[in-house]
């Protein structure tokens, strides 16, 4: 199932080029206190199946980031070797995810497909990083690797927009609109092997990143298990799993697209502040 947030806080099931609006049914049945119907749906586990939903053409709605304000966006650092190499040219001893671990991005940095990434500083290099996002369904702490997929609600395309520089990553990656997510959440049952998905990123139509999620140094099971050691994961939390090689500067006027197999296309424009 592909679940989209649209036109503010509406929730829809994407079926071809049609969208079934299930907002009211989900909000009626959810007991979780939220006005984000996607978060309510994640707490329910899935939208109710016995509902009469209003249909509308997908092309007539404005898609939003699939979650309005997740509790956490947790991101893996240096989780693809070729990207680690490109960031440290000529360096013999490369430091990867195992040493670098994770960082947090502000939940207020989300933007949906069709949105605009605003670069706050014209004189600072800012790069695109295309990543597979994992959305947590059932919360947990100290999750065993073998149980990780039981806690996954679904997947989406994500851009970890990054200003380069010496400041802490939490600052350089948390500006408003620096985390495009979408175009929707594809539920776990539709992605039999999330570790074998083609991932491609284009800037102005030119391919910059072209790899598979199978190139991750640390796979989803170990990543999520590790994050959950001592840190409670909650429904709706988003995990960015790291970027393949091919990151590069983006500038006002650019169009950035991320395609991940089975998950659709996330597309954003780039503009100044
Ligand atoms: Mn990243």
């Amino acid at each position: 199932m592909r679940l989209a947030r649209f036109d503010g806080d509406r929730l829809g099931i994407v079926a071809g080029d049609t969208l079934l609006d299930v907002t009211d049914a989900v909000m009626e049945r959810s007991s979780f206190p939220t006005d984000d119907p996607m978060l309510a749906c994640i707490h329910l586990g899935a939208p109710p199946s016995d509902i009469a939903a209003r249909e509308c053409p997908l092309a007539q709605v404005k898609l939003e980031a699939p979650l309005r304000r997740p509790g956490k966006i947790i991101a893996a650092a240096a989780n693809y070797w070729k990207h680690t190499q490109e960031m440290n040219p000529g360096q013999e001893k490369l430091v990867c995810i195992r040493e670098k671990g994770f960082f947090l991005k502000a939940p207020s940095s989300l933007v949906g497909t069709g949105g605009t990434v605003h670069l706050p500083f014209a004189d600072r290099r800012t790069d695109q990083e295309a990543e597979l996002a994992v959305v947590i369904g059932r919360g947990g702490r100290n999750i065993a690797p073998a149980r990780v997929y039981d806690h996954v609600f679904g997947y989406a395309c994500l851009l970890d927009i990054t200003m380069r520089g010496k400041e802490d990553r939490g600052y350089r990656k948390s500006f408003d609109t620096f985390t495009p997510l979408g175009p929707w959440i594809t539920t776990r049952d539709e992605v039999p092997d999330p570790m074998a998905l083609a991932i491609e990123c284009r800037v102005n139509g030119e391919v910059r990143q072209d790899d598979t999620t199978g190139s991750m140094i640390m796979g989803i099971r170990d990543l999520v298990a590790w994050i959950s050691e001592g840190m409670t994961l909650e429904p709706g939390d988003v995990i960015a799993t790291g970027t393949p090689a091919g990151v590069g500067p983006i500038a006002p006027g650019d169009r950035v697209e991320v395609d991940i197999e089975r998950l659709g296309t996330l597309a954003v424009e780039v503009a100044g502040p």
Side-chain angles (χ1 to χ4, degrees), residues 108-111 116-119 159 161 174-180:
S108 50
S109 65
L110 284 176
V111 66
T116 301
V117 171
H118 290 280
L119 307 183
L159 276 162
I161 303 293
S174 285
F175 300 109
D176 290 356
T177 71
F178 268 39
T179 311

Side-chain angles (χ1 to χ4, degrees), residues 6 64 207 209 240 269:
F6 68 100
E64 312 279 357
V207 176
Q209 299 184 273
E269 309 289 331

Side-chain angles (χ1 to χ4, degrees), residues 76 103 129 131 160 173 242-243:
F103 57 91
E129 297 187 353
E131 313 199 3
D160 174 18
K173 291 167 173 273
T243 196

Side-chain angles (χ1 to χ4, degrees), residues 17-56:
D17 41 22
T18 302
L19 196 108
L20 307 172
D21 186 334
V22 295
T23 315
D24 297 340
V26 166
M27 295 310 274
E28 268 167 32
R29 298 189 194 199
S30 170
S31 56
F32 183 75
T34 178
D35 46 12
D36 175 351
M38 183 70 84
L39 194 54
C41 181
I42 291 173
H43 276 270
L44 282 174
S49 53
D50 55 332
I51 46 172
R54 187 174 58 87
E55 271 189 39
C56 57

